[in-house]
Amino acid sequence: MKSSLLVTGLLSLGLLTTASAPALAHHGNAAYADEITEFTQATVTKFAWANPHSLIYFDATDAEGNVVHMVVETAAPQALRLIGWAKTSMMPGDVITVRMYVARNGNPAGRLQKI
């Protein structure tokens, strides 16, 4: 009796875990390219310290030498604080190198990989 109750409990737990896994996901990476794009000598125009993700707006030059106005999504402020960032970590005029997964749809946006 106890073993069948244990098996039933474990199966129920397994089914609950499997059914709830999609609900635990925040959002996927389908909107972003698989390869990393790097922008060197990018100039920060704005740093939005906000939930659910902080955003870094910057100007960079593309392969043809044209200035492109980009925005990259970072982690939430709570997560950025854990790695030493503050709302004053980026200021307009700062020159940075940004590695990011760019949007697949061609929008000048992406998700931060490294800065």
Side-chain angles (χ1 to χ4, degrees), residues 27-50:
H27 53 76
N29 293 323
Y32 305 105
D34 294 330
E35 69 277 348
I36 295 169
T37 301
E38 182 173 280
F39 295 95
T40 58
Q41 299 296 310
T43 304
V44 175
T45 58
K46 180 181 176 183
F47 181 43
W49 183 263

Side-chain angles (χ1 to χ4, degrees), residues 29-35 70-71 100-110:
N29 293 323
Y32 305 105
D34 294 330
E35 69 277 348
M70 304 284 294
V71 62
M100 62 190 272
Y101 300 96
V102 295
R104 288 183 191 264
N105 64 4
N107 285 342

Side-chain angles (χ1 to χ4, degrees), residues 18-88:
T18 302
S20 64
L24 297 175
H26 180 62
H27 53 76
N29 293 323
Y32 305 105
D34 294 330
E35 69 277 348
I36 295 169
T37 301
E38 182 173 280
F39 295 95
T40 58
Q41 299 296 310
T43 304
V44 175
T45 58
K46 180 181 176 183
F47 181 43
W49 183 263
N51 279 313
H53 299 278
S54 293
L55 301 171
I56 302 169
Y57 297 84
F58 63 93
D59 290 340
T61 53
D62 63 12
E64 291 80 40
N66 302 314
V67 174
V68 182
H69 307 289
M70 304 284 294
V71 62
V72 65
E73 174 185 84
T74 70
Q78 302 88 316
L80 293 176
R81 278 191 194 103
L82 293 174
I83 59 171
W85 286 40
K87 65 172 100 178
T88 57

